[in-house]
Amino acid sequence: MPKGNAPPEDDRLYVCDARTGKLAPFHALAGADPSVAADTGEVVFRRLTTLKETADGPLVHEDLPLFDLRTGALATITNSDCVIHAAGNLYEQPAVSPDGRLVLATETGSDPSATFRLYRTRDGVCLWERRRESTPLLGVWDAEGRRLAFWGWGGSGTTVWVHDVAAVRFTKSLTKRDEHVLDGQVTGLDWSDRGDLAASTDDGPVEAVFVAPGGDPRAFVRLCGGRLPVCLD
């Protein structure tokens, strides 16, 4: 990321060597918020280009590129021009499915609401959209790319819910599986390879990790103290 008030054109993607900790440019690509499709070796990220200054703020061109590691090809999933208000973006924190077919991105603005959209990567068609009045964490895909887990504020705790993605290509809707309210604030979500869902929470001085066997939020049980990331078999 660029420093200070540098323009978004200065955003660059980097790769970190886990053994040495050294950073290196990632194929000289400009952008931010990369997400990797584990099964296909494709990378989706967000890119902004300032077009001009307006009375309401900078007018930017924002796009969602897809880079194929196997071929080096770079394609655009979707794009649009918009005026940035505060921390607002159209395709923030994109999360691509493991098979590279779908990508979830979030439109944010100056208020605490957010709008999730699920795009088909091959043509940029929006298959599903949902607005949340309280800002949730970005959606997390399970290992098979069939379920998405989210969290959102609610009452005295945080609601974790899971959606089935299997039918979205045909019905343009996600099937809501189940939801559950955890005490405190959820600080992270993740799936195990066999389909268990983990959540870490922060309730004042107490931090804990919960696990939902089979990915059923109604089945959350306390696993241990601490915070994600954790490793689940």
Side-chain angles (χ1 to χ4, degrees), residues 202-226:
D202 183 356
D203 189 7
V206 179
E207 294 183 307
V209 175
F210 293 81
V211 62
D216 183 351
R218 298 169 301 177
F220 269 119
V221 294
R222 191 179 188 277
L223 180 66
C224 60

Side-chain angles (χ1 to χ4, degrees), residues 108-124:
T108 60
S110 57
D111 60 25
S113 64
T115 300
F116 284 115
R117 292 188 179 93
L118 191 64
Y119 299 95
R120 197 163 53 200
T121 56
R122 64 178 172 84
D123 56 12

Side-chain angles (χ1 to χ4, degrees), residues 62-144:
E62 185 171 354
D63 65 333
L64 203 57
L66 182 146
F67 178 73
D68 192 326
L69 282 167
R70 300 162 301 181
T71 65
L74 185 65
T76 298
I77 299 170
T78 185
N79 65 91
S80 186
D81 296 346
C82 66
V83 175
I84 292 182
H85 294 281
N89 295 288
L90 292 177
Y91 314 120
E92 191 168 355
Q93 293 183 316
V96 64
S97 61
D99 60 10
R101 294 182 180 180
L102 301 170
V103 59
L104 181 77
T106 310
E107 179 182 349
T108 60
S110 57
D111 60 25
S113 64
T115 300
F116 284 115
R117 292 188 179 93
L118 191 64
Y119 299 95
R120 197 163 53 200
T121 56
R122 64 178 172 84
D123 56 12
V125 170
C126 179
L127 299 176
W128 175 78
E129 178 178 311
R130 180 174 180 178
R131 181 178 175 84
R132 294 289 299 180
E133 294 303 323
S134 56
T135 305
L137 195 69
L138 94 126
V140 182
W141 292 93
D142 71 356
E144 295 183 349

Side-chain angles (χ1 to χ4, degrees), residues 160 182 186-190 197-201 208-212 220-221 226 228 230 232:
V160 175
L182 290 171
V186 170
T187 56
L189 287 173
D190 201 5
L197 178 63
S200 61
T201 66
V209 175
F210 293 81
V211 62
F220 269 119
V221 294
L228 289 179
V230 296
L232 295 176

Side-chain angles (χ1 to χ4, degrees), residues 9-75:
E9 290 85 354
D10 287 353
D11 283 339
R12 292 292 184 274
L13 297 186
Y14 291 88
V15 62
C16 179
D17 189 317
R19 294 167 299 179
T20 65
K22 292 183 178 180
L23 290 175
F26 183 72
H27 295 272
L29 292 174
D33 296 346
S35 176
V36 178
D39 297 344
T40 64
E42 294 169 306
V43 180
V44 174
F45 56 99
R46 182 170 62 94
R47 183 171 56 188
L48 291 90
T49 304
T50 302
L51 300 177
K52 65 178 181 179
E53 295 293 332
T54 74
D56 297 320
L59 176 68
V60 301
H61 178 76
E62 185 171 354
D63 65 333
L64 203 57
L66 182 146
F67 178 73
D68 192 326
L69 282 167
R70 300 162 301 181
T71 65
L74 185 65

